[in-house]
């Protein structure tokens, strides 16, 4: 394995979140390949256009957009949003929406889900910056714990897509959650499979974080695959398809290696 | 053969430009190869006078090519039908594109299709085959949406990625670890066109939507490979048979062939051998 550190790039114009075209991305992960570092990198890139794990991580920064991080599985304290002595979390353009605390009160049924997402969409719409990035994680929790269907959830995502320039949906895709044996819509596997399939049909970009297929390794946490989603871009924006190996060390530092 | 490939391309172009009447065009796609590239070919070939209506279940923003953009998410079916019927031009040609017909409930599919069908409308509907479809139905023998749509569609366009033969690739797609090289502008298309006579034409193409080139793929009949050729030089042993040996082998009469030549079934062929101890007076010893 090469020891050369590689840069995280998602698009052909060497950007992580491109300007000039709307983006919808789906990030899938499994147990053992937490996407926390990727979420933190996307937050940083949405706010400043930089990425700490890249060579340009220490470049001069200026705020360039709002970032809204919505989580159904974590509170704000979970994320390490300090980047090179700048606390991203304290930046006024960063907005954390905690749907984890009082989860079922806010998004437990269709009525509350609609109300919460209508409020969120109108809140995001009021932000004045030209570029708004939305990251939402843990929607699989709604599939597992409530009677909400893929259509209910996707309709809410559409509301957020309308008021933002980039949206990344972060979901667990463990085999046990998505592998279908019987087409019974009451099963979690069925509804998760339905949600993920429909989401990828709406996405320009599909990012997968998976453990190594060959087993555990000391120097590799998992693989990061970047590929095109089913939705093509209307303009010249193009996904840079590639695969990395990544290593998240004990001190929460992540290194990427091109595969 | 040349005329067949030529006519297949002509048929495809006519279908894409709506010159060939096909009231319901069904596009089957997966997360490995999106139908949206093929959808663009319908837009590319359409006549300027054709009005395009997009019935959107998945598309968030109105695309440039759509004359009318109908948001169907969250709307009852009756309202969607009304909106489609209000939006189409009653005199001119219409192209109604449905980005994902999976969102229409199974038991209301036929009602939806028949309610929006007109002689001057071509409905181009995409069905995502990778979306799971539940078995449960109000009527136990009612067909699935896929079966129903493929039965009523006048033309079926199935888009497939160039490289998904590999089992590993397919497994990755099923696990939502989408491999690179999929969802491209170049893909394989399986076309089935049903004529009014009931005859069904089936063709396969390699499509490039960037250059708008369509190359028919003709499946070559499998060439007969001589088994002798395969065995030659395989090992240091001589596994082949000479012409003389082959002729001798063909002349060998296989045992029990006699039994097969009997016209009446169930007969027992028994030939006495020299060591058989047969007592003519014992009735139980009669082998017949």
């Amino acid at each position: 394995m090469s020891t050369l550190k590689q840069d995280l790039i998602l698009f052909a114009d060497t950007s992580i979140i491109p300007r000039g075209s709307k983006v919808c991305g789906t990030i899938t992960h499994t147990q053992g390949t937490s996407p926390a570092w990727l979420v933190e990198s996307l937050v940083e890139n949405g706010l400043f256009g930089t990425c700490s794990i890249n060579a340009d991580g220490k470049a001069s920064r200026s705020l360039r957009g709002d970032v809204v991080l919505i989580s159904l599985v974590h509170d704000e304290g979970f994320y390490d949003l300090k980047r090179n002595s700048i606390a991203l979390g304290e930046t006024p353009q960063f907005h954390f929406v905690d749907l984890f605390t009082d989860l079922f009160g806010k998004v437990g049924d269709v009525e509350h889900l609609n109300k919460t997402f209508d409020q969120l969409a109108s809140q995001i719409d009021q932000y004045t910056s030209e570029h708004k990035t939305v990251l939402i994680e843990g929607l699989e929790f709604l599939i597992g714990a409530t009677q909400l269907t893929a259509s209910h959830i996707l309709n809410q995502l559409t509301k957020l897509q309308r008021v933002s320039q980039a949206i990344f949906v972060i979901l667990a895709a463990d085999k046990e959650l998505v592998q279908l044996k019987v087409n019974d819509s009451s099963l979690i596997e069925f509804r998760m499979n339905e949600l993920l399939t429909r989401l990828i049909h709406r996405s320009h970009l599909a990012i997968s974080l998976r453990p190594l297929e060959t087993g555990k390794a000391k120097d590799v946490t998992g693989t990061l695959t970047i590929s095109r989603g089913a939705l093509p871009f209307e303009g010249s924006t193009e996904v840079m398809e590639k695969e990395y190996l990544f290593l998240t060390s004990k001190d929460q530092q992540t290194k990427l290696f091109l595969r | 053969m040349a005329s067949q490939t030529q006519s297949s391309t002509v048929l495809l172009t006519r279908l894409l430009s709506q010159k060939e009447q096909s009231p319901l065009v069904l596009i089957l796609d997966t997360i490995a190869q999106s139908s949206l590239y093929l959808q663009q070919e319908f837009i590319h070939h359409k006549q300027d006078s054709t009005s395009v209506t997009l019935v959107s279940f998945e598309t968030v923003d109105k695309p440039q090519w759509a004359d009318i953009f109908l948001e169907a998410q969250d709307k009852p079916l009756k309202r969607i039908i009304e909106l489609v019927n209000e939006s189409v031009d009653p005199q001119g040609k219409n192209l109604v594109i449905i980005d994902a017909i999976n969102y229409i409930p199974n038991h209301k599919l036929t009602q939806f299709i028949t309610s929006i069908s007109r002689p001057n409308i071509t409905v181009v509907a995409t069905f995502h085959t990778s979306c799971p479809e539940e078995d449960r139905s109000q009527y136990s023998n009612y067909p699935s949406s896929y079966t129903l749509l493929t039965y009523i569609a006048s033309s079926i366009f199935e888009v497939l990625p160039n490289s998904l033969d590999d089992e590993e690739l397919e497994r990755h797609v099923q696990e939502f670890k989408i491999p690179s090289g999929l969802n491209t502008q170049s893909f394989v298309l399986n076309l089935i066109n049903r004529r009014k006579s009931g005859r069904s034409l089936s063709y396969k193409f390699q499509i490039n939507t960037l250059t708008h080139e369509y190359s028919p793929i003709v499946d070559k009949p499998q060439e007969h490979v001589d088994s002798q050729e395969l065995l030659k030089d395989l090992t240091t042993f001589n596994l082949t048979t000479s012409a003389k040996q082959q002729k001798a082998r063909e002349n060998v009469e296989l045992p029990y062939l006699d039994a097969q030549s009997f016209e009446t079934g169930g007969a027992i062929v028994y030939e006495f051998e020299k060591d058989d101890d047969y007592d003519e007076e014992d009735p139980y010893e009669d082998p017949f």
Side-chain angles (χ1 to χ4, degrees):
Chain A
M1 191 180 74
S2 165
T3 53
L4 186 70
K5 198 177 168 188
Q6 311 285 340
D7 281 354
L8 174 68
I9 293 166
L10 303 186
F11 292 91
D13 61 355
T14 69
S15 65
I16 296 176
I17 303 175
R19 304 275 148 159
S21 51
K22 281 197 156 195
V23 179
C24 177
T26 303
I27 301 171
T28 57
H29 61 92
T30 57
Q31 270 189 1
T33 52
S34 165
W37 65 271
L38 185 60
V39 172
E40 288 160 13
S41 300
L42 289 169
V43 169
E44 184 191 346
N45 196 265
L47 286 172
F48 298 108
T50 57
C51 182
S52 288
I53 60 170
N54 286 358
D56 72 340
K58 287 176 183 165
S60 63
R61 292 163 169 177
S62 58
L63 279 167
R64 62 171 208 164
D66 283 275
V67 175
V68 184
L69 174 55
I70 306 163
S71 182
L72 284 85
V73 283
H74 299 121
D75 58 9
E76 194 172 1
F78 174 81
Y79 288 102
D80 174 26
L81 294 170
K82 279 189 181 154
R83 285 284 182 276
N84 298 328
S85 72
I86 295 179
L88 302 177
E90 289 164 24
T91 313
Q93 270 89 341
F94 175 70
H95 316 271
F96 187 85
V97 180
D98 181 1
L99 293 183
F100 173 59
T101 313
D102 190 22
L103 176 73
F104 297 109
K106 286 176 182 164
V107 287
D109 54 46
V110 182
E111 195 186 331
H112 285 94
L113 187 78
N114 274 329
K115 195 179 162 191
T116 305
F117 275 81
D118 282 339
Q119 281 172 357
L120 270 174
S122 95
Q123 184 189 324
I124 295 166
D125 199 27
Q126 282 168 14
Y127 299 146
T128 49
S129 68
E130 282 182 11
H131 198 276
K132 297 162 197 171
T133 306
V134 176
L135 299 132
I136 182 161
E137 66 160 355
L139 287 169
E140 70 275 12
F141 205 77
L142 295 181
I143 292 286
T146 68
Q147 293 302 310
L148 295 167
T149 63
S151 298
H152 290 140
I153 293 168
L154 291 169
N155 288 348
Q156 307 311 317
L157 290 180
T158 308
K159 290 175 189 171
L160 302 183
Q161 271 183 280
R162 289 215 175 94
V163 292
S164 61
Q165 278 65 49
I167 185 163
F168 291 90
V169 186
I170 302 126
L171 283 162
D174 293 87
K175 275 183 201 170
E176 297 76 14
L177 264 180
V178 296
Q179 271 189 353
L180 271 185
K181 291 188 184 82
V182 190
N183 282 358
D184 180 351
S185 62
S186 63
L187 295 175
I188 294 173
E189 300 96 289
F190 179 95
R191 296 193 293 149
M192 262 313 286
N193 196 301
E194 188 183 23
L195 175 66
L196 272 165
T197 310
R198 289 187 177 183
L199 194 59
I200 288 173
H201 273 293
R202 293 164 171 238
S203 301
H204 299 99
L205 175 72
I207 302 175
S208 327
L209 292 143
R210 296 288 188 278
L212 274 182
E213 293 203 357
T214 46
K216 276 192 172 182
K218 277 184 182 176
D219 52 355
V220 179
T221 310
T223 58
L224 169 74
T225 312
I226 296 157
S227 43
R228 276 184 289 269
L231 187 64
F233 283 101
E234 274 203 36
S236 57
T237 311
E238 207 181 312
V239 174
M240 181 76 111
E241 291 194 307
K242 58 168 92 171
E243 189 165 287
Y244 298 94
L245 294 172
F246 70 94
L247 170 68
T248 306
S249 55
K250 284 177 186 169
D251 56 352
Q252 301 293 309
Q253 297 296 311
T254 301
K255 287 178 186 172
L256 292 179
F257 309 96
L258 263 176
R259 205 173 194 185
Chain B
M1 186 67 81
S3 65
Q4 193 193 345
T5 55
Q6 200 181 3
S7 65
S8 64
T9 318
V10 171
L11 174 70
L12 176 63
T13 318
R14 284 180 64 82
L15 283 167
L16 291 172
S17 57
Q18 296 104 56
K19 284 178 185 159
E20 188 80 22
Q21 210 186 2
S22 187
L24 176 62
V25 175
L26 179 69
I27 309 179
L28 304 172
D29 76 348
T30 59
I31 52 173
Q33 182 57 53
S34 166
S35 66
L36 294 167
Y37 298 100
L38 182 66
Q39 213 180 71
Q40 286 307 303
E41 289 306 286
F42 280 94
I43 304 299
H44 176 77
H45 285 279
K46 78 168 182 69
Q47 289 159 346
D48 291 339
S49 57
T50 307
S51 162
V52 183
T53 303
L54 174 64
V55 182
S56 156
F57 289 94
E58 287 183 341
T59 315
V60 177
D61 300 307
K62 178 181 177 286
Q64 286 175 347
W65 46 263
D67 297 315
I68 296 154
F69 180 67
L70 299 178
E71 284 178 46
Q73 283 184 35
D74 256 351
K75 288 198 174 70
L77 191 71
K78 203 179 164 189
R79 181 72 192 129
I80 300 170
I81 293 168
E82 279 171 12
L83 285 171
V84 174
N85 289 333
E86 283 165 19
S87 69
V88 294
D89 177 4
Q91 305 301 325
K93 264 190 171 182
N94 291 279
L95 181 64
V96 175
I97 296 176
I98 302 164
D99 62 358
I101 203 160
N102 302 60
Y103 288 80
I104 310 266
N106 172 264
H107 61 281
K108 289 184 178 171
L109 259 175
T110 44
Q111 181 201 348
F112 175 69
I113 300 291
T114 48
S115 306
I116 61 169
S117 293
R118 303 272 182 286
N120 61 337
I121 296 177
T122 302
V123 178
V124 177
T126 294
F127 183 82
H128 302 317
T129 52
S130 39
C131 268
E133 200 184 334
E134 61 179 315
D135 287 336
R136 222 170 30 187
S137 173
Q138 204 179 344
Y139 310 103
S140 56
N141 292 323
Y142 198 71
S144 64
S145 300
Y146 172 82
T147 314
L148 203 62
L149 284 166
T150 48
Y151 184 73
I152 58 177
S154 42
S155 298
I156 302 167
F157 290 72
E158 186 187 14
V159 290
L160 300 165
N162 284 331
S163 55
L164 199 61
D165 299 334
D166 193 358
E167 271 182 30
E168 201 179 338
L169 272 178
E170 214 170 311
R171 183 173 57 83
H172 283 315
V173 171
Q174 281 169 3
E175 289 172 10
F176 298 99
K177 185 191 171 188
I178 315 289
S180 51
L182 302 178
N183 282 308
T184 55
Q185 288 163 317
S186 169
F187 53 88
V188 174
L189 170 72
N190 283 332
L191 167 68
I192 296 171
N193 181 243
R194 289 173 184 145
R195 320 294 295 174
K196 272 185 183 172
S197 61
R199 199 162 72 100
S200 182
L201 302 169
S202 181
Y203 300 109
K204 196 172 181 179
F205 298 92
Q206 177 68 48
I207 305 285
N208 189 332
T209 56
L210 197 66
T211 55
H212 308 293
E213 280 175 348
Y214 318 127
S215 332
I217 301 169
V218 182
D219 290 329
K220 285 179 189 166
Q222 259 195 336
E223 281 176 30
H224 176 72
V225 184
D226 188 8
S227 58
Q228 294 298 317
E229 286 293 312
L230 284 173
L231 292 169
K232 209 174 177 185
D233 300 329
L234 199 65
T235 66
T236 50
F237 298 99
N238 182 17
L239 296 173
T240 57
T241 45
S242 65
K244 193 182 169 189
Q245 286 169 324
Q246 231 168 347
K247 201 175 177 184
R249 197 171 66 177
E250 280 162 15
N251 289 332
V252 170
E253 209 166 289
L254 294 171
Y256 311 118
L257 272 179
D258 268 351
Q260 292 170 30
S261 65
F262 273 97
E263 284 179 4
T264 52
I268 299 167
V269 180
Y270 188 85
E271 281 172 15
F272 287 103
E273 290 176 5
K274 62 175 184 177
D275 296 334
D276 281 354
D277 180 22
Y278 178 62
D279 184 358
E280 277 185 7
E281 288 173 4
D282 185 355
Y284 297 107
E285 282 234 352
D286 185 1
F288 307 106

